[in-house]
Amino acid sequence: MGGTSNAGFSRGASPCVADGRLSARATRTRHAAQSAQSLSTQPIMTDTTPIAPRDKADILAQALPYIRKFHGKTMVIKYGGNAMTEPALQKAFAEDVVLLKLVGINPVVVHGGGPQIEGLLKRLGKKGEFIQGMRVTDAETMEVVEWVLGGEVQQDIVGLINQAGGKAVGLTGRDGGMIRAQKLKMLDNADPSIEHDVGQVGDIVSIDPSVVKALQDDAFIPVVSPIGFGENNESYNINADVVAAKLATVLKAEKLMMLTNISGVLDKSGQLLTDLTARRIDELFADGTISGGMLPKIAGALDAAKSGVNSVHIIDGRVPHVLLLEILTEQAFGTMIRSH
């Protein structure tokens, strides 16, 4: 992945030369697929059975190798979907982020807010429009986007993390001159000679991560809204998946984690695809398996993988504490994306 091995993903039983950890990709894949099939047909359940103290100690001990491996590393987390709207999942997400910070891992949260934006537009009597997975953003819609992402949604996330014992700080791409953008030129997928006008939707020109690094050094947890600014100080609405992928690349993150409302990337029969390469992704784009809102998510994930981010995961945000399950245990939920 970007010149690295699959070491960031391997957990389990056969020797892994790259990082000395034990690898059980087949077992891990089977568990993930079984979990995904179960989740697709059943509501999310939380097991409240008390855990014996000895079992708790065993669980903590099993997390130690992963804590040691990832100590001091940055992990960019794209936060969205049900995890942003269901109270129990919101609480679990905030607790996961705080715990990661407390054990020496540096989480950076990039959030979306599509449902919240859509809800406010509806209350204003305005219908949202999408082209190839991107929200068409005229001047009025841009005002709504800035109000929702840079205000209401972001402050809710900051508050949840702070309530869980962390020290979160909200940022937009304007803060510290972080995200410079230009108008996105969107070519039609079927006919590249056609260009769609999607309004104030931005394409990232550059990211200056200085403000994020400064906050990390002072033990804060950055929470980033995907709003950029242009050369004339105009605002741009940027897809949160794209921002998360680019930020992970610039920060040289160990992992990019993208929370979704599904088990991961699914094939046309609804089966979970646990391991995707660049060639396989191109095939899925071509036959329409990956479409709509998944297009920028997968494209961004693949770009991050090719650019050196060690681990890229699209994971099931409907699973309580899915971040801890993915990062600190042998269990996995979702799809791994690698460059080759």
Side-chain angles (χ1 to χ4, degrees):
M1 181 147 333
T4 65
S5 73
N6 288 345
F9 306 103
S10 303
R11 300 167 186 168
S14 62
C16 177
V17 175
D19 64 1
R21 287 167 43 173
L22 295 178
S23 171
R25 182 66 190 162
T27 301
R28 181 173 152 87
T29 297
R30 183 172 65 253
H31 287 168
Q34 291 169 345
S35 299
Q37 290 173 350
S38 174
L39 286 166
S40 65
T41 58
Q42 298 178 12
I44 297 299
M45 301 294 288
T46 302
D47 186 357
T48 58
T49 305
I51 300 175
R54 184 181 299 275
D55 292 335
K56 288 182 181 179
D58 286 342
I59 292 168
L60 292 172
Q62 289 167 21
L64 183 59
Y66 306 117
I67 294 173
R68 184 184 296 117
K69 176 177 176 59
F70 298 131
H71 185 86
K73 302 293 180 65
T74 293
M75 297 192 182
V76 175
I77 303 160
K78 160 56 195 332
Y79 180 46
N82 283 39
M84 281 187 69
T85 57
E86 295 185 9
L89 294 175
Q90 290 175 330
K91 183 174 183 291
F93 173 82
E95 290 170 347
D96 287 3
V97 169
V98 172
L99 190 148
L100 291 174
K101 187 68 174 179
L102 289 175
V103 300
I105 296 169
N106 292 317
V108 176
V109 178
V110 178
H111 67 86
Q116 293 88 341
I117 293 170
E118 197 67 26
L120 183 53
L121 287 173
K122 188 175 181 180
R123 292 198 296 274
L124 294 173
K126 190 175 180 66
K127 182 176 175 57
E129 180 185 353
F130 291 84
I131 298 176
Q132 296 178 185
M134 292 290 189
R135 181 185 296 277
V136 177
T137 308
D138 58 18
E140 184 181 17
T141 301
M142 190 67 228
E143 290 182 13
V144 171
V145 169
E146 289 191 278
W147 191 88
V148 172
L149 295 186
E152 179 185 25
V153 170
Q154 185 178 80
Q155 290 310 303
D156 284 347
I157 299 168
V158 167
L160 283 165
I161 293 173
N162 291 345
Q163 186 178 25
K167 298 197 309 183
V169 174
L171 302 167
T172 74
R174 287 184 169 279
D175 293 308
M178 180 166 48
I179 304 176
R180 293 184 179 273
Q182 62 187 8
K183 183 179 175 66
L184 177 68
K185 294 182 178 180
M186 177 175 282
L187 303 181
D188 189 86
N189 286 337
D191 183 356
S193 67
I194 298 174
E195 182 177 328
H196 299 286
D197 185 355
V198 288
Q200 288 178 249
V201 174
D203 188 20
I204 296 173
V205 174
S206 63
I207 292 184
D208 181 347
S210 301
V211 65
V212 171
K213 291 180 177 178
L215 289 170
Q216 288 181 316
D217 291 344
D218 282 339
F220 291 101
I221 298 169
V223 177
V224 180
S225 293
I227 297 169
F229 67 98
E231 61 180 11
N232 296 314
N233 200 35
E234 68 274 30
S235 293
Y236 285 108
N237 177 24
I238 307 175
N239 183 277
D241 297 313
V242 173
V243 171
K246 294 289 188 183
L247 189 57
T249 300
V250 171
L251 290 171
K252 297 180 172 60
E254 177 72 18
K255 287 180 179 287
L256 169 61
M257 319 285 290
M258 293 179 158
L259 275 65
T260 68
N261 276 346
I262 56 176
S263 312
V265 181
L266 307 178
D267 64 18
K268 287 192 171 181
S269 64
Q271 298 299 305
L272 178 69
L273 300 171
T274 59
D275 190 347
L276 291 179
T277 63
R279 177 179 294 181
R280 180 64 175 134
I281 288 171
D282 286 340
E283 293 172 355
L284 296 173
F285 282 155
D287 70 11
T289 300
I290 297 175
S291 61
M294 287 298 285
L295 285 169
K297 188 183 299 292
I298 302 302
L302 180 59
D303 182 61
K306 288 180 175 178
S307 301
V309 176
N310 284 342
S311 306
V312 182
H313 303 270
I314 295 176
I315 57 177
D316 195 336
R318 302 169 301 168
V319 178
H321 298 294
V322 69
L323 290 176
L324 299 187
L325 288 169
E326 178 59 47
I327 296 169
L328 301 181
T329 78
E330 292 183 359
Q331 184 61 60
F333 291 90
T335 300
M336 175 187 76
I337 292 179
R338 53 193 175 92
S339 59
H340 57 273

